[in-house]
């Protein structure tokens, strides 16, 4: 069986730019502010010299020695604690997203996911369903939720961290939307309840971490639980008109693994696409940032 594996990257995004990568770091512009952050996959050399890199940066994230996922920001130029950027995508999609420098190096946005926001907008526009029901699991700060809501969907947004759900609300309000249903819960527990209730969704978005904790300490390990979760999602998906997006960021996973998971758990998979998401810097180095599988029945 011949199969095309895609490589997708956002295009024409005025408020975001990947400037350079290398030396296990990345240099990015978010609006008018430039940030330097660790990037474990940037194992090549930087294209910009170290002095110029630091001179361009408004802030740099320093990792803790004993915990590489936590650290502190060192600021070199004046930068606010919170600011906004805009994303104007396909289908008249217009998002205003709130950013902040956190102690976990994240700033509330994964720019490579913009290609999926456009896919969501395009799919909802083409679905022959008024106000389709969309479930966003592991929804983080909710850009995908806001994109779906902006296109007329009834959106249920779930994350296990109350603070990022509050962040998502701000993104909804900043983007001029309202009415998203917010859930703070463990994703697995929630979808098991939804299956028992007989609920169905026209769209399901999953962006699970490699490791995580639910609000009551529930353990999430991607390799051990993603297969069961997709079995449950297959029961939740409306049979006639639907879409599903699966994102995974795990260095040990390929999109072929995602394809095997999808095809083994869903009876009908139409218009399937899978591959890698990436960003490209000014020197045309491509930074891989996870894999995806998505399909839709219109």
């Amino acid at each position: 069986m011949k199969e095309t594996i895609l490589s997708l990257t956002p295009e024409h995004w005025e408020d975001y730019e990947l400037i350079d990568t290398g030396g296990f770091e990345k240099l990015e512009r978010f609006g008018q502010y430039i940030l330097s952050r660790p990037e474990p996959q940037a194992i090549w050399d930087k294209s910009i010299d170290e002095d110029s890199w630091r001179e361009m940066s408004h802030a740099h994230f320093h990792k803790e020695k004993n915990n590489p996922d936590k650290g502190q920001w060192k600021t070199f130029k004046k930068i606010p604690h919170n600011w906004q950027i805009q994303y104007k995508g396909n289908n008249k999609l217009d998002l205003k997203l709130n950013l902040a420098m956190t102690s976990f190096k994240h700033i509330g946005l994964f720019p490579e996911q913009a290609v999926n926001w456009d896919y969501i907008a395009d799919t909802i526009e083409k679905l022959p369903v008024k106000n389709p029901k969309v479930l966003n699991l592991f929804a983080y700060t909710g850009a995908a939720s806001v994109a779906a809501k902006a296109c007329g969907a009834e959106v249920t947004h779930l994350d296990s961290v109350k603070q990022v759900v509050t962040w998502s609300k701000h993104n909804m309000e900043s983007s001029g939307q309202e009415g998203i249903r917010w859930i703070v819960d463990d994703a697995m527990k929630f979808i098991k309840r939804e299956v028992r209730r007989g609920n169905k969704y026209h769209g399901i978005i999953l962006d699970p971490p490699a490791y995580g904790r639910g609000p009551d300490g529930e353990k999430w390990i991607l390799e051990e639980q993603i297969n069961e979760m997709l079995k449950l999602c297959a029961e939740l998906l409306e049979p006639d008109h639907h879409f599903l997006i699966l994102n995974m960021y795990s260095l040990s996973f390929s999109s072929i693994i995602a394809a095997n998971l999808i095809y083994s758990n869903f009876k009908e998979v139409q218009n399937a696409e899978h591959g890698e998401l990436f960003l490209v810097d000014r020197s045309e180095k491509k930074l891989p940032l996870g894999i995806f599988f998505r399909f839709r029945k219109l």
Side-chain angles (χ1 to χ4, degrees), residues 18-33:
L18 181 63
I19 297 171
D20 195 21
T21 57
F24 301 98
E25 292 183 321
K26 56 187 174 183
L27 189 66
E28 302 166 285
R29 178 180 60 83
F30 296 90
Q32 60 182 306
Y33 302 109

Side-chain angles (χ1 to χ4, degrees), residues 73-91:
W73 289 90
K74 181 179 180 181
T75 57
F76 305 114
K77 303 176 185 178
K78 188 175 181 181
I79 181 172
H81 180 70
N82 303 92
W83 73 101
Q84 288 184 346
I85 65 171
Q86 186 173 31
Y87 178 71
K88 288 191 174 183
N90 300 334
N91 301 70

Side-chain angles (χ1 to χ4, degrees), residues 154-224:
E154 295 181 8
V155 180
T156 297
H157 170 114
L158 182 143
D159 199 276
S160 65
V161 181
K162 186 176 181 181
Q163 291 91 331
V164 297
V165 172
T166 300
W167 198 329
S168 303
K169 292 179 183 178
H170 293 155
N171 284 335
M172 178 188 71
E173 293 162 356
S174 298
S175 299
Q177 302 300 319
E178 60 181 11
I180 291 175
R181 178 191 180 203
W182 309 106
I183 305 289
V184 178
D185 202 350
D186 176 73
M188 189 72 84
K189 284 184 176 180
F190 177 79
I191 61 172
K192 285 180 178 178
R193 290 199 305 271
E194 289 292 89
V195 168
R196 290 196 298 269
R197 293 165 179 156
N199 288 335
K200 299 287 185 181
Y201 294 89
H202 298 96
I204 299 177
I205 305 161
L206 302 96
D207 196 353
Y211 303 97
R213 291 281 184 179
D216 295 321
E218 302 92 342
K219 185 183 292 186
W220 168 264
I221 300 174
L222 181 66
E223 290 87 346
E224 296 178 5

Side-chain angles (χ1 to χ4, degrees), residues 50-243:
E50 199 69 40
D51 290 340
S52 299
W53 181 294
R54 292 291 179 246
E55 186 177 338
M56 294 175 70
S57 303
H58 286 80
H60 172 72
F61 185 85
H62 289 270
K63 297 183 293 184
E64 290 183 1
K65 290 183 179 180
N66 298 326
N67 187 349
D69 294 325
K70 290 192 69 176
Q72 294 182 339
W73 289 90
K74 181 179 180 181
T75 57
F76 305 114
K77 303 176 185 178
K78 188 175 181 181
I79 181 172
H81 180 70
N82 303 92
W83 73 101
Q84 288 184 346
I85 65 171
Q86 186 173 31
Y87 178 71
K88 288 191 174 183
N90 300 334
N91 301 70
K92 300 179 182 179
L93 197 61
D94 188 358
L95 308 179
K96 291 184 177 64
L97 304 170
N98 296 278
L99 308 184
M101 295 183 292
T102 74
S103 61
F104 293 94
K105 84 178 177 182
H106 299 302
I107 62 165
L109 177 68
F110 295 101
E112 70 278 1
Q113 290 298 325
V115 298
N116 282 327
W117 308 337
D118 286 339
Y119 181 86
I120 292 166
D122 179 69
T123 301
I124 291 174
E125 183 180 78
K126 292 176 179 176
L127 281 174
V129 179
K130 186 178 180 180
N131 307 125
K133 294 176 63 178
V134 173
L135 172 63
N136 189 6
L137 297 168
F138 308 97
Y140 192 47
T141 56
S145 298
V146 178
K149 185 64 185 179
C151 298
E154 295 181 8
V155 180
T156 297
H157 170 114
L158 182 143
D159 199 276
S160 65
V161 181
K162 186 176 181 181
Q163 291 91 331
V164 297
V165 172
T166 300
W167 198 329
S168 303
K169 292 179 183 178
H170 293 155
N171 284 335
M172 178 188 71
E173 293 162 356
S174 298
S175 299
Q177 302 300 319
E178 60 181 11
I180 291 175
R181 178 191 180 203
W182 309 106
I183 305 289
V184 178
D185 202 350
D186 176 73
M188 189 72 84
K189 284 184 176 180
F190 177 79
I191 61 172
K192 285 180 178 178
R193 290 199 305 271
E194 289 292 89
V195 168
R196 290 196 298 269
R197 293 165 179 156
N199 288 335
K200 299 287 185 181
Y201 294 89
H202 298 96
I204 299 177
I205 305 161
L206 302 96
D207 196 353
Y211 303 97
R213 291 281 184 179
D216 295 321
E218 302 92 342
K219 185 183 292 186
W220 168 264
I221 300 174
L222 181 66
E223 290 87 346
E224 296 178 5
Q225 292 168 282
I226 187 60
N227 189 50
E228 180 186 0
M229 176 162 282
L230 288 170
K231 279 185 173 70
L232 295 166
C233 287
E235 296 188 57
L236 290 176
L237 205 59
E238 283 281 3
D240 294 329
H241 305 289
H242 58 243
F243 72 93

Side-chain angles (χ1 to χ4, degrees), residues 4-11 115 274-278 286 288 290 292:
T4 300
I5 298 178
L6 302 175
S7 295
L8 303 180
T9 190
E11 298 178 354
V115 298
H274 71 96
E276 285 192 84
L277 302 181
F278 72 97
K286 294 179 179 179
F292 72 94

